[in-house]
């Protein structure tokens, strides 16, 4: 194909991470012609904890992903360390969510989802680096994208009446439309490393609310997630609400923290399977609007990471599912005005579903940015199992919207009355 012969589709999805692949899957399921463009070539890695809470598991089940196949490891809940206490909290039993989580390394998780979208009918094009949107001068709308084939260096054009930006934290397409990140939203940094360890098949995901370097308390929180394949994903996160955010060597901090772990866990240089790698975590809808001039933002491109726990895969998949449903409805409308009316439902529904909850999350991360608050919370909160069960539901956003218990009703009410993010 020459660079002068653009390919046409109903929708172009840029980025084959969880958000993009979920979007493409549902679009293809509805019978639309969709291109799923991925700049890398699978298998490829992404910086992540690799842990999936029941909220993400629900999305995988809805897509028909076989979570009983080899490569998935289930977990019963969250084990929390802090304040000199260790507590195991099973995932809550709810009508709306399964009562188990999963761990799957991103090295093959993303490929699995992208191939699942391709099986549903999406055209997956790897090694296709999208460089910019194509904007119609007459309508000032996005009508496609320009890309470069990374193998041949050939310039390519793809045309469609709607484009979905699932291009992650780089948000190249959003920036091209002048959609810039909001500085009043929290930002996190996460670093992680894989280690060969006998703890690889742990049936609890592990969260450390205090990171100690000898007798010095480090800023941030840590995790240990067994991958079931002989390795564990060990990492830590730090929020920009902490005074230490700008002046921390995150890789050295991870090494100092793991150096204090029991020797038999093997979280040391000799058992590391690769380098320490890090990434930014855009949180709490830090890039808006989520729809503008023919472009929809899903996942990290729209800052859809939960400020409470740094989790993004579930919201990436949920936003992709929602975006796809709205796009299908919009493209069926006979006039441009009716299509726009349908498309503007996307940001409205996102805010209605998650806006209040993310606002509470912003208040939470601002508070725990003060290490004294975090220290007080872990010392006095962790010894109380009922309070911690409530906290788990709040942090993981796991409640039944109707017919739930008193904890569900409190969390749901808080989310409803909080102003949308």
């Amino acid at each position: 194909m020459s660079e002068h012969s653009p390919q046409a589709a109903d929708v172009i999805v840029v980025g084959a991470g969880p958000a993009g692949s979920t979007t493409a899957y549902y679009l293809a399921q509805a019978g639309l012609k969709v291109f799923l463009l991925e700049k890398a070539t699978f298998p490829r890695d992404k910086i992540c904890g690799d842990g999936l809470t029941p909220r993400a598991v629900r999305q995988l089940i809805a897509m028909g992903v076989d979570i009983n196949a080899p490569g998935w490891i289930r977990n019963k809940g969250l084990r929390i360390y802090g304040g000199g206490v260790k507590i195991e909290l099973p995932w809550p039993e709810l009508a709306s969510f399964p009562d188990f989580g999963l761990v799957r390394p991103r090295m093959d998780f993303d490929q699995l989802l992208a191939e699942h979208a391709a099986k549903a009918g999406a055209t997956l094009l790897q090694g296709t680096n999208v460089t910019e949107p194509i904007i119609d001068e007459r309508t000032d709308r996005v009508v496609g994208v320009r890309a470069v084939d990374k193998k041949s260096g050939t310039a390519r054009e793809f045309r469609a009446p709607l484009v979905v930006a699932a291009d992650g934290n780089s948000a190249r397409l959003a920036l091209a439309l002048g959609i810039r990140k909001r500085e009043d939203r929290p930002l996190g940094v996460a670093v992680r490393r894989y280690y060969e360890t006998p703890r690889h098949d742990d049936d609890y995901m592990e969260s450390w609310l205090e990171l100690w370097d000898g007798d010095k308390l480090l800023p941030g929180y840590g995790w240990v997630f067994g991958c079931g394949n002989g390795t564990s994903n060990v990492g830590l996160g730090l929020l920009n609400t902490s005074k230490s955010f700008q002046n921390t060597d995150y890789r050295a901090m991870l090494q100092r923290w793991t150096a204090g772990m029991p020797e038999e866990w093997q979280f040391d240089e000799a058992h590391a399977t690769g380098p320490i790698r890090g990434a930014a975590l855009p949180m709490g809808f830090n890039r808006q609007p989520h729809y503008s001039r023919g472009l929809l933002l899903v996942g990290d491109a729209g800052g859809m990471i939960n400020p409470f726990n740094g989790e993004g895969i579930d919201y990436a998949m949920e936003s992709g599912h929602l975006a796809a449903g709205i796009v299908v409805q919009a493209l069926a409308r006979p006039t441009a005005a009716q299509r726009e009316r349908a498309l503007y439902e996307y940001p409205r529904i996102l805010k209605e579903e998650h806006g209040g909850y993310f606002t509470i999350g912003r208040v939470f991360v601002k508070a725990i940015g003060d290490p004294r608050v975090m220290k007080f919370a872990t010392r006095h909160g962790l010894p109380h199992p009922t309070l911690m069960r409530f906290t788990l539901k709040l942090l993981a956003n796991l409640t039944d919207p109707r017919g739930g218990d008193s904890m569900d009703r409190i969390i749901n009410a808080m989310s409803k009355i909080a102003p949308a993010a």
Side-chain angles (χ1 to χ4, degrees), residues 146-166:
R146 293 188 180 89
V148 175
D149 185 298
K150 292 179 77 172
K151 192 172 183 180
S152 67
T154 306
R156 305 183 70 173
E157 279 193 6
F158 300 88
R159 299 272 181 158
L162 289 171
V163 174
V164 177

Side-chain angles (χ1 to χ4, degrees), residues 2 21 24 131-132 146 157 167 174 199 226 235 264 281 288 291:
S2 79
S21 293
T131 55
E132 62 181 349
R146 293 188 180 89
E157 279 193 6
D167 50 354
R199 299 200 56 209
E264 61 270 22
L281 305 176
Q288 298 181 40
Y291 171 71

Side-chain angles (χ1 to χ4, degrees), residues 78-126:
L78 192 65
R79 181 184 301 118
I80 299 176
Y81 288 88
V85 174
K86 177 179 81 171
I87 182 171
E88 290 184 348
L89 298 168
W91 296 118
E93 292 187 9
L94 299 165
S96 305
F97 299 95
D99 64 350
F100 62 93
L102 295 167
V103 175
R104 181 94 185 215
R106 292 290 295 276
M107 180 60 84
D108 66 351
F109 176 77
D110 288 21
Q111 181 174 359
L112 185 150
L113 284 191
E115 290 173 352
H116 194 66
K119 283 176 192 167
T123 301
L124 171 63
L125 296 173
Q126 302 177 50

Side-chain angles (χ1 to χ4, degrees), residues 44-350:
R44 63 107 170 91
D45 198 11
K46 283 284 180 181
I47 313 307
C48 184
D50 301 334
L52 303 165
T53 71
R55 195 173 187 99
V57 176
R58 179 177 69 166
Q59 287 297 319
L60 292 169
I61 293 169
M63 288 175 64
V65 174
D66 183 4
I67 58 173
N68 295 308
W72 300 96
I73 179 169
R74 293 194 180 199
N75 52 72
K76 300 174 182 176
L78 192 65
R79 181 184 301 118
I80 299 176
Y81 288 88
V85 174
K86 177 179 81 171
I87 182 171
E88 290 184 348
L89 298 168
W91 296 118
E93 292 187 9
L94 299 165
S96 305
F97 299 95
D99 64 350
F100 62 93
L102 295 167
V103 175
R104 181 94 185 215
R106 292 290 295 276
M107 180 60 84
D108 66 351
F109 176 77
D110 288 21
Q111 181 174 359
L112 185 150
L113 284 191
E115 290 173 352
H116 194 66
K119 283 176 192 167
T123 301
L124 171 63
L125 296 173
Q126 302 177 50
T128 304
N129 185 26
V130 172
T131 55
E132 62 181 349
I134 300 170
I135 299 174
D136 186 304
E137 291 183 4
R138 182 178 53 84
T139 61
D140 196 33
R141 286 177 60 84
V142 176
V143 292
V145 296
R146 293 188 180 89
V148 175
D149 185 298
K150 292 179 77 172
K151 192 172 183 180
S152 67
T154 306
R156 305 183 70 173
E157 279 193 6
F158 300 88
R159 299 272 181 158
L162 289 171
V163 174
V164 177
D167 50 354
N169 188 43
S170 67
R172 183 178 289 179
L173 293 176
L175 285 169
L177 264 66
I179 304 173
R180 308 201 173 274
K181 69 180 180 183
R182 296 181 56 159
E183 300 299 335
D184 62 341
R185 296 292 188 262
L187 181 74
V189 167
V191 294
R192 65 99 172 98
R193 197 176 201 183
Y194 293 101
Y195 296 91
E196 293 176 349
T197 172
R199 299 200 56 209
H200 71 97
D201 57 355
D202 195 341
D203 55 7
Y204 275 81
M205 292 164 67
E206 204 164 83
S207 181
W208 295 64
L209 302 185
E210 292 179 327
L211 309 180
W212 291 96
D213 174 21
D215 58 356
K216 180 186 174 189
L217 182 62
L218 301 169
Y221 64 94
W223 68 79
V224 178
F225 297 162
C227 298
N229 60 359
T231 69
S232 283
N233 180 317
V234 183
L236 57 85
L238 184 66
L239 296 157
N240 66 350
T241 52
S242 166
K243 289 180 180 176
S244 307
F245 185 77
Q246 298 289 352
N247 306 308
T248 300
D249 182 337
Y250 304 104
R251 288 166 175 78
M253 181 171 148
L254 178 62
Q255 289 173 316
R256 292 202 306 275
W257 175 50
T258 54
M261 297 285 201
E263 190 176 334
E264 61 270 22
W265 292 1
Q266 300 180 175
F267 298 156
D268 53 39
E269 203 65 38
H271 295 91
T273 64
I276 299 172
R277 297 186 64 199
L281 305 176
M283 297 177 166
F285 291 159
N286 82 327
R287 203 176 296 275
Q288 298 181 40
H290 291 122
Y291 171 71
S292 177
R293 296 153 53 199
L295 182 75
L296 297 92
L297 310 185
V298 295
D300 287 10
M304 296 179 197
I305 291 177
N306 182 349
F308 280 109
N309 64 1
E311 187 180 15
I313 290 175
D314 45 6
Y315 301 97
M317 296 179 75
E318 286 180 22
S319 64
H321 191 177
L322 174 63
I326 285 170
V327 165
V328 168
Q329 291 296 326
L331 290 179
R333 305 286 170 90
T335 70
Q338 289 173 332
R339 286 193 290 275
E340 284 298 283
R341 195 174 299 124
L343 290 163
Y344 276 108
E345 280 293 275
Y346 175 62
R348 188 194 68 76
I349 294 172
L350 274 179

